[in-house]
């Protein structure tokens, strides 16, 4: 904890001695046990909030209580939440522009200048993954659209459909056929569209209802759907950007191509395939 | 009533053992795989606790995307950085995992 | 229609404005444009805060508490999220706005490299404004889960800013800072879970009404304290701060030391004295005081041994943070202020100390940045004869040092004077010794630098080659540091400005 | 009622296992796994206390956990990114203490 974490797999540099490990284990064990006992003993009075949510649900414009809380009652939290995602996206952004000018001088890859998605010409395509994706990606995109739409009434919503779209993007990138470059202006716009839509709606409704982030009741449903669509786009773009800047950090200028087929990484449903 | 407690009991034991194994295994790749399966078990736990929204989010983000990010970084950490000689560059992760 | 135009719309504007600035600076191309947007937004933010303070000070006392709350989304406290402002948070917001303006102007020149290939400002400005969103959001929020989200924003933005210049030392320091930050936030989130289970509400005001000293509340308070002590870097948990603040770019380490570390102290004060006051035991308060005293001694000793100027200033932050934690024991024995929340002589003394330390520390880090820029290094041993080349920066360093030590004309002196008064009034004379010895040790490590920089003793001059500045320093950067140092002197003379600021807005 | 008891024990157990793993494990990826396990533990406590309400579970807690999951992946992604950049910067691993 107090030393810099080391990066080699089997590097036992600053391994804690056995005694300190046991002491740590005992200390953490007693603390957790006492916390568990405390939690079991005190019977918690049920909070007033769920009843309040049920009451106000009719005016919130959506039927699904979780979406109502996320995008209407506590919408300020979700606004800051997308801000957190934007922080990490910006922190990892320039790395991809460093990579892109490496790829651009690679023979065969057309320079991925300003375009978000560009086809990789002489990519080593993974045939099996390619065949599966021909079926899987359209289904995921339709599923994400459905998830977004039913978010108002059934479990679903912006975060889930954004994650699904990002999963589809990860699979497409793994198949090697397409290559994403996230320094293009379209990518930055997509990453910030969620925040922009949220801010515009939040300030736009203020003159009519007198309070920021308070939607007029009859317009609440459509406004929430508008915010959810924009949020889904920006969440999907940012999550894909996170994967892209981590996965393409290996500078491809190594002369020999990497292992014959790219290791099929975790598709978003089943655990990662075999080695 | 006792049957649902049995299911929850198995789920909880499964989750706790997966967590311990995930942190105790020798190889990093196995730890990441165990973590992804832990994420899926927790998604089932959310369904048992009556939170389907969270189950979808946990499966998609907690297990899927976090697993993808971890594997991408693990693959990068296991390949030597390109600045030293080129021939080690293609020593991709697969070789050095099997032999400890 | 008219209700949207009354004054308390300023509260959400304090968060919305930096957020729009962050979005704009992400999308806009060109370093110059981003810088001019940022300076304009910093000016607007200062104007908003001044308007807010004037509304609070004249309308403050007569208003009931309702008007200082702004319930976002119009749903009211338990269901929705409220933004509240009282004297202490108003002062912190004013400090944030002032520092942001000066540091934005400084960063405009610090990061301006027209020819460089990797444009750092594309990353710096959005992260800078998202950090300001987190800080303003935290000082305004009165919802414990919302505070968790703002803590997370501040943590991640600060880590991304520390890792900005990409050197190996900066990246390792940023990684350790991130791990510590995540651990602190998780402890805080666990405490939020415990509090919600027992009291059923997330709002601070309702919590302070409902809280009673049960085991669960004490456990939640203990978790909040460990989580926030990790983020405030009090002595046993301070290991990440010197490297993180030492290896960050100058304006970043300035705002980290002056503001970010104080946000978690502000939360600690808010929970211990206001929200969970019934659950705060006397031993806990004294414990925090003892940890503070230990921080003063440990930080000062390490500052004396530091070889690099930025590392020394970072260790002096660890030391000065110890002073802040003297608030807890000093509040202890004056029974009447115990339940008055965040008011009383001890709180106004500490508030004054926060302002004095913030300006002095920011000025010192900017001077260290200037020296680093002109000489390419900041090893203390090779700084001798510096005064010939950078007289203004050294003069600024001297004034800031005077405020840290607590010499008469500076704001530092007034804050220490107030602290001493409170310590003597409450009859805890041992804190007097701690305060005075802390000032003495601060004097030792500040004068050590000044001695080397001004007195170019002869035998050292022959042995080592004369230090030549490698590139010229834009005038504005030295002036920014000088302005901050002058602020401590101005505040030194006009003590009433801060003191009545802390007490306004509180309905007695 | 006993269902929540199980999950409360599991949540604090996960928090403890994660904390132990974070302190003991030297490698950065194990530390990140430990932090993720701790956050799963905290979320489990939140969801377990949500379902004690008879009938419909408490949506406010579910919204909080959803926000927490997204914050967790943001933190993890930044930590992995920093680890990756340190690795690509080269071998000079300085063993500095605090």
């Amino acid at each position: 904890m107090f030393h810099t974490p080391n990066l080699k797999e089997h590097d036992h540099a600053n391994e804690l001695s056995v005694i300190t490990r046991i002491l740590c284990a005992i200390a953490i064990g007693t603390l957790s046990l006492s916390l568990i006992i405390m939690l079991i003993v005190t019977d918690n009075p049920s909070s007033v909030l769920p009843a309040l949510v049920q009451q106000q649900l009719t005016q919130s414009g959506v039927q699904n209580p979780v979406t109502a809380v996320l995008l209407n009652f506590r919408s300020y939290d979700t606004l800051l939440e997308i801000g957190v995602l934007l922080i990490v996206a910006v922190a990892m952004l320039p790395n991809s522009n460093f990579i892109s000018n490496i790829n651009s001088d690679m023979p065969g890859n057309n320079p991925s200048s300003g375009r978000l998605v560009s086809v990789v010409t002489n990519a080593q395509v993974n045939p099996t993954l390619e065949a599966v994706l021909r079926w899987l990606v359209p289904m995921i995109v339709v599923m994400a659209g459905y998830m977004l739409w039913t978010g108002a009434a059934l479990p679903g919503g912006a975060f889930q459909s954004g994650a699904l779209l990002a999963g589809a993007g990860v699979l497409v990138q793994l198949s090697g056929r397409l290559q994403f470059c996230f320094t293009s202006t379209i990518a930055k716009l997509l990453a910030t569209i969620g925040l922009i839509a949220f801010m515009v709606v939040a300030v736009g409704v203020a003159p009519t209802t007198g309070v920021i982030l308070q939607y007029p009741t009859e317009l609440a449903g459509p406004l929430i759907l508008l915010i959810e669509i924009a949020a889904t786009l920006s969440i999907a773009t940012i999550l894909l950007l996170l994967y892209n800047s981590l996965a393409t950090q290996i500078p491809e200028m190594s002369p020999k191509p990497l292992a014959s087929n790219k290791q099929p990484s975790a598709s978003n449903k089943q655990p990662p395939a075999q080695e | 009533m006792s049957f649902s407690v049995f299911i929850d009991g198995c789920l909880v034991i499964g989750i706790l053992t997966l967590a311990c194994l995930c942190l105790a295994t020798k190889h990093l790749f196995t730890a990441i795989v165990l973590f992804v399966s832990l994420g899926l078990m927790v998604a089932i736990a959310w369904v048992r606790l009556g939170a389907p929204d969270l189950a979808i989010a946990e499966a998609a983000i907690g297990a899927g995307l976090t697993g993808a990010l971890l594997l991408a970084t693990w693959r990068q950490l296991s390949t030597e950085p390109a600045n030293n000689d080129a021939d080690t560059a293609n020593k991709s992760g697969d070789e050095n995992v099997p032999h400890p | 229609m008219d209700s949207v135009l009354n004054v308390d719309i300023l509260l959400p504007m304090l968060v919305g404005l930096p957020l729009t600035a962050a979005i704009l600076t992400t999308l806009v191309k060109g370093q110059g444009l981003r810088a001019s947007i940022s300076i304009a937004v910093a000016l607007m933010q200062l104007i908003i805060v001044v308007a807010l303070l004037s509304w609070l000070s004249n309308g403050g006392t007569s208003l009931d508490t309702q008007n200082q709350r702004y319930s976002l989304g119009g749903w009211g406290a338990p269901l929705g999220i409220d933004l509240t402002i009282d004297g202490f948070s108003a002062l912190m917001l004013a400090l944030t706005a002032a520092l942001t303006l000066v540091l934005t102007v400084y960063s405009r020149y610090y990061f301006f490299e027209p020819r460089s290939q990797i444009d750092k400002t594309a990353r710096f400005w959005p992260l800078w404004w998202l950090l300001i969103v987190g800080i303003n959001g935290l000082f305004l929020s009165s919802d414990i889960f919302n505070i968790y989200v703002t803590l997370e924003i501040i943590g991640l933005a600060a880590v991304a800013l520390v890792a900005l210049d990409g050197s190996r030392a900066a990246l390792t320091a940023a990684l350790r800072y991130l791990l510590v930050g995540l651990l602190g936030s998780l402890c805080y989130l666990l405490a939020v879970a415990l509090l919600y289970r027992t009291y059923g509400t997330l709002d601070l005001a309702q919590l302070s009404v409902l809280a009673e000293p049960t085991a669960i509340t004490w456990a939640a308070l203990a978790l909040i304290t460990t989580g926030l002590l990790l983020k405030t870097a009090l002595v046993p948990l301070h290991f990440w701060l010197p490297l993180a603040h030492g290896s960050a770019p100058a304006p970043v380490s300035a705002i980290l030391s002056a503001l970010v570390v104080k946000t978690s102290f502000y939360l600690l004060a808010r929970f211990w004295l206001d929200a969970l006051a019934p659950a705060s035991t006397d031993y806990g308060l004294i414990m925090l005081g003892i940890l503070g005293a230990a921080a003063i001694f440990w930080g000062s000793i390490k500052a004396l041994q530091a070889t690099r100027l930025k590392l020394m200033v970072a260790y002096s932050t660890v030391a000065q943070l110890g002073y802040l934690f003297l608030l807890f024991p000093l509040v202890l024995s004056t029974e009447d202020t115990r339940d008055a929340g965040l008011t009383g002589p001890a709180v106004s003394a500490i508030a004054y100390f926060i302002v004095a330390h913030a300006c002095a520390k920011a000025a010192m880090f900017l001077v260290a940045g200037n020296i680093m820029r002109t000489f390419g290094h900041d090893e203390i041993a090779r700084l001798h004869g510096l005064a010939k080349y950078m007289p203004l920066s050294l003069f600024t360093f001297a004034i800031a040092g005077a405020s840290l030590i607590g010499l008469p004309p500076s704001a530092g002196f007034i804050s220490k004077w107030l602290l001493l008064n409170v310590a003597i009034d409450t009859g805890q004379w041992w804190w007097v010794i701690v305060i005075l010895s802390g000032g003495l040790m601060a004097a030792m490590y500040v004068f050590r630098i000044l001695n080397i920089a001004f007195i170019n003793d002869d035998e050292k001059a022959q042995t080592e080659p004369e230090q030549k500045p490698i590139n010229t320093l834009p005038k504005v950067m030295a002036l920014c540091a000088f302005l901050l140092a002058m602020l401590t002197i101005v505040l030194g003379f006009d003590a009433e400005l801060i003191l009545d600021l802390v007490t306004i807005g509180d309905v007695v | 009622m006993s269902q929540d008891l199980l999950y409360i024990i599991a949540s604090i157990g996960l928090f403890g296992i994660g904390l132990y793993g974070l302190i003991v494990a030297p490698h950065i990826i194990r530390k990140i796994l430990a932090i993720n396990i701790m956050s799963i533990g905290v979320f489990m406590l939140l969801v377990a206390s949500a379902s004690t309400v008879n009938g419909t579970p408490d949506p406010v807690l579910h919204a909080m956990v959803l926000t927490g999951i997204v914050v967790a992946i943001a933190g993890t992604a930044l930590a992995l990114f920093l680890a990756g950049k340190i690795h690509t910067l080269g071998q000079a691993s300085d063993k500095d203490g605090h």
Side-chain angles (χ1 to χ4, degrees):
Chain A
M1 184 65 190
F2 297 99
H3 302 282
T4 43
N6 51 27
L7 298 165
K8 297 289 166 299
E9 166 144 13
H10 296 297
D11 171 358
H12 303 287
N14 24 46
E15 202 79 35
L16 293 178
S17 68
V18 184
I19 308 120
T20 41
R21 285 174 185 234
I22 295 167
L23 279 181
C24 274
I26 294 166
I28 294 172
T30 41
L31 283 176
S32 342
L33 266 178
S34 55
L35 201 54
I36 289 175
I37 293 161
M38 252 189 255
L39 280 169
I40 294 168
V41 161
T42 57
D43 57 344
N44 43 25
S46 65
S47 135
V48 71
L49 274 182
L52 219 56
V53 170
Q54 288 307 335
Q55 236 175 4
Q56 308 279 4
L57 203 53
T58 49
Q59 290 128 30
S60 71
V62 281
Q63 288 76 37
N64 176 6
V66 177
T67 317
V69 170
L70 262 178
L71 283 162
N72 198 339
F73 302 141
R74 297 180 66 91
S75 47
Y76 179 56
D77 267 348
T78 317
L79 178 71
L80 293 182
E81 180 50 44
I82 300 174
V84 167
L85 278 177
L86 186 64
I87 291 176
V88 184
V90 167
M92 299 163 98
L93 192 61
N95 187 19
S96 25
N97 72 15
F98 171 72
I99 289 292
S100 70
N101 39 36
I102 287 184
N103 291 350
S104 53
D105 53 54
M106 275 277 286
N109 282 1
N110 55 356
S112 57
S113 53
R115 296 200 7 259
L116 173 62
V117 184
S118 55
V119 182
V120 179
T121 45
N122 64 348
Q124 317 93 20
V125 177
N126 174 355
T128 47
L129 186 55
E130 183 76 35
V132 168
L133 284 190
R134 211 175 293 283
W135 293 97
L136 197 57
V137 169
M139 209 166 60
I140 292 179
V141 171
V142 167
M143 183 66 182
Y146 167 73
M147 188 79 67
L148 176 64
W149 181 258
T150 62
L154 296 169
F159 291 110
Q160 293 88 346
S161 54
L164 274 177
L165 282 178
V170 166
L171 282 175
V172 162
Q173 177 167 353
L174 274 175
S175 76
R177 174 66 65 195
L178 292 180
Q179 183 197 334
F180 298 98
C181 148
F182 280 97
T183 55
S184 53
T185 47
I186 177 78
K188 283 189 187 159
L189 195 64
L190 270 177
T192 51
I193 191 74
L195 260 179
I196 294 171
F198 221 127
M199 295 287 289
V200 163
V201 168
V203 177
V205 291
T208 52
T209 56
V211 179
I212 287 196
L213 275 175
Q214 180 176 8
Y215 318 123
T217 43
E218 68 288 350
L219 274 178
L223 277 178
I224 286 183
L225 188 60
L226 173 76
I227 294 175
E228 275 206 307
I229 293 170
T232 307
L233 286 178
S234 64
I235 289 166
T237 322
I238 291 176
L239 291 178
L240 190 53
L241 183 143
L242 299 187
Y243 180 74
N244 185 309
S245 69
L246 280 178
T248 55
Q249 209 163 16
I250 314 155
E252 257 94 21
M253 61 256 207
S254 59
K256 281 183 281 303
L258 278 183
S260 61
N261 58 344
K262 281 206 175 136
Q263 207 164 1
S265 134
S267 74
N268 59 356
K269 277 294 172 294
Q270 68 279 22
Q274 70 303 349
E275 218 132 345
Chain B
M1 174 56 191
S2 71
F3 182 64
S4 75
V5 169
F6 172 72
I7 293 179
D8 288 328
C10 293
L11 209 56
V12 160
I13 292 165
I15 287 171
L16 287 177
T17 41
L18 268 178
C20 295
L21 280 178
C22 171
L23 292 178
T25 47
K26 211 154 23 73
H27 297 304
L28 270 182
F29 183 76
T30 9
I32 295 173
V33 167
L34 283 173
F35 176 75
V36 173
S37 39
L38 172 70
L40 292 173
M41 289 280 275
V42 167
I44 300 168
W46 295 155
V47 173
R48 283 294 302 160
L49 281 166
D53 305 67
L54 303 183
I56 304 169
E58 175 70 28
I61 299 177
L65 269 163
T66 315
L69 295 182
L70 282 165
L71 282 171
T73 312
W74 170 76
R75 199 166 73 130
Q76 187 209 328
L77 288 188
S78 50
T79 53
E80 292 310 311
N83 49 26
N84 49 24
D85 43 25
D87 58 7
T88 59
N90 70 345
K91 179 171 71 61
S92 83
D94 309 339
E95 284 87 352
N96 70 0
V97 160
H99 55 78
Chain C
M1 181 58 200
D2 61 330
S3 67
V4 80
L5 299 182
N6 66 20
V7 191
D8 60 4
I9 190 110
L10 294 176
L11 296 181
M13 272 172 73
L14 267 180
V15 177
L17 188 65
L19 203 54
T20 39
I23 296 170
L24 284 178
T25 43
T26 323
L27 294 175
V28 152
K29 278 211 179 343
Q31 300 187 19
L33 195 53
R34 287 196 196 104
S36 40
I37 290 175
S38 304
I39 293 176
V41 169
L43 272 173
M44 272 199 275
Q45 187 180 0
L46 193 63
I47 294 164
I48 289 177
V49 165
V50 165
L52 200 62
L53 293 184
S54 59
W55 163 64
L56 258 177
S57 56
N58 54 35
T61 46
S62 63
L63 288 173
D64 53 21
T65 57
Q66 200 43 39
N67 255 10
Q68 283 134 38
R69 295 181 78 90
Y70 189 93
S71 46
L72 285 161
W75 296 106
L79 190 57
I81 301 168
D82 280 3
L83 298 179
T84 56
I85 189 160
D86 64 357
F88 199 54
S89 59
L91 177 71
M92 298 303 280
L93 284 170
L95 181 63
T96 319
L99 272 177
T100 316
L101 180 61
V102 176
L103 291 177
T104 306
V105 170
Y106 182 85
S107 318
R108 184 249 170 267
Y109 291 91
Y110 185 84
F111 285 108
F112 189 73
E113 302 125 358
R115 298 161 309 281
S116 85
Q117 196 247 356
I118 301 247
D119 170 10
K120 273 202 197 121
T121 59
R123 241 180 354 166
F124 173 76
W125 287 117
L127 291 173
W128 177 262
W129 284 112
L130 285 165
L131 180 67
I132 306 295
V133 164
I135 293 174
N136 282 347
L138 188 130
F139 286 136
L140 283 172
S141 167
S142 92
D143 179 282
I144 48 180
F145 184 72
N146 192 258
I147 288 177
Y148 166 72
V149 180
T150 45
L151 268 176
E152 201 66 33
I153 287 181
I154 293 173
L156 290 179
V159 163
L161 282 169
V162 165
L164 195 64
D165 57 15
S167 70
R168 189 182 169 80
L171 287 171
T172 352
L175 187 56
R176 257 170 42 172
Y177 183 15
L178 179 61
L179 291 180
V180 166
L182 289 177
L183 178 61
S185 301
L186 278 178
C187 292
Y188 180 84
L189 190 60
L190 189 58
V192 167
L194 293 181
L195 288 175
Y196 186 77
R197 266 180 75 88
T198 35
Y199 296 111
T201 173
L202 287 171
D203 189 65
L204 271 175
Q206 295 182 355
L207 209 58
S208 55
V209 167
L210 293 167
E212 70 266 349
T214 62
I216 283 275
T217 325
W218 191 82
L221 192 59
L223 274 169
I224 288 177
T225 312
T226 39
L228 292 176
L229 285 188
L230 266 167
K231 281 179 172 279
T232 324
L234 196 62
V235 151
L237 309 168
H238 71 291
F239 52 89
W240 57 269
L241 186 133
L243 283 172
H245 291 201
S247 50
V252 172
S253 39
I255 199 156
L256 283 180
S257 276
L259 269 177
V260 171
V261 188
K262 308 240 171 23
T263 51
S264 26
F265 168 77
Y266 165 82
L267 284 179
L268 268 174
R270 176 72 69 187
F271 274 104
W272 273 84
L273 305 180
D274 188 7
L276 300 175
S280 60
T281 59
D282 294 0
Y283 299 112
L285 289 169
I286 293 173
M287 252 297 285
L288 285 174
I290 293 166
L291 283 179
I296 294 176
F297 294 114
W298 180 255
S300 306
I301 294 164
K302 294 293 274 188
L304 276 168
Q305 300 158 355
T307 53
R308 273 183 45 231
L309 188 57
K310 280 185 110 168
L311 220 52
M312 183 219 91
V313 180
Y315 271 116
S316 120
T317 305
V318 173
Q320 300 300 324
L321 279 174
Y323 276 98
L324 296 183
F325 281 85
L326 297 186
L327 165 71
F328 296 105
L330 291 181
V331 158
L332 175 64
S333 55
T334 50
E335 277 325 311
D336 54 355
T337 58
R338 207 28 212 292
D339 43 26
L342 281 177
T343 55
V347 173
S348 48
I350 287 296
Y352 209 96
F353 187 90
I354 288 176
V355 173
H357 175 260
C359 298
K361 189 58 55 143
M364 268 187 163
F365 265 119
L366 293 191
V367 165
N370 292 348
I371 293 173
M372 185 78 144
R373 158 100 20 140
T374 31
F375 286 92
H377 69 80
D378 63 348
E379 280 96 13
I380 295 173
R382 288 163 56 203
L383 281 185
H384 53 79
L386 190 80
K388 284 204 298 299
Y389 301 102
M390 303 176 70
L392 181 59
S393 295
L394 260 298
F395 181 55
T396 318
F397 191 89
I399 297 177
S403 171
L404 273 188
I405 303 162
L407 298 180
S410 70
F413 166 72
I414 300 228
S415 56
K416 287 199 170 138
W417 176 257
L418 290 170
L419 271 174
L420 289 175
N421 281 352
V422 174
I424 294 163
D425 295 349
T426 57
Q428 305 176 7
W429 49 267
W430 48 89
W431 298 125
V432 171
I433 300 172
V434 169
I435 294 170
L436 294 183
S437 54
L440 184 66
M441 295 165 96
M444 283 156 66
Y445 59 72
V446 168
F447 289 140
R448 167 176 162 241
I449 307 292
L450 295 180
N451 167 30
I452 294 176
F454 279 104
I455 304 150
N456 188 354
D457 40 20
D458 306 335
E459 38 81 18
K460 176 78 61 65
Q462 276 80 22
T463 54
E464 275 154 25
E466 191 54 54
Q467 290 298 318
K468 279 285 168 294
I470 47 173
N471 47 30
T472 63
L473 182 75
K475 213 66 199 110
V476 180
M477 292 166 76
L479 278 178
C480 283
F482 183 68
L483 180 70
L484 281 173
M486 274 304 116
L487 208 58
T488 58
I489 300 297
V490 163
L491 291 181
F493 288 115
D494 177 6
E496 288 320 312
L497 184 69
I498 302 283
L499 289 182
D500 58 36
L501 197 59
V502 179
T503 51
I504 56 168
D506 301 334
V507 179
V508 184
Chain D
M1 188 49 205
S2 63
Q3 179 194 30
D4 317 320
L5 203 65
L6 269 174
Y7 282 104
I8 288 171
I9 295 169
S11 66
I12 304 293
L14 278 173
F15 191 84
I17 292 166
L19 188 59
Y20 177 75
L22 181 64
I23 291 172
V24 166
H27 193 279
I28 180 63
I29 286 193
R30 282 193 206 283
K31 282 189 191 284
I32 293 170
L33 290 180
I35 284 191
N36 278 322
I37 287 174
M38 280 170 78
S39 40
I40 289 177
V42 175
F43 298 151
M44 192 170 277
L45 178 65
L46 281 166
V47 180
S49 41
S51 67
T52 49
V53 175
N54 37 38
T56 62
D58 178 355
V60 177
L61 281 174
H62 292 185
M64 281 161 70
V65 174
L66 203 59
T67 312
I69 289 175
V70 178
V71 164
I73 188 167
T76 316
L78 192 57
L80 291 173
F81 175 69
L82 290 176
K85 272 185 89 169
I86 294 173
H87 179 75
T88 46
L89 273 184
Q91 300 318 347
S93 56
D94 38 5
K95 285 281 172 268
D96 54 352
H98 56 91

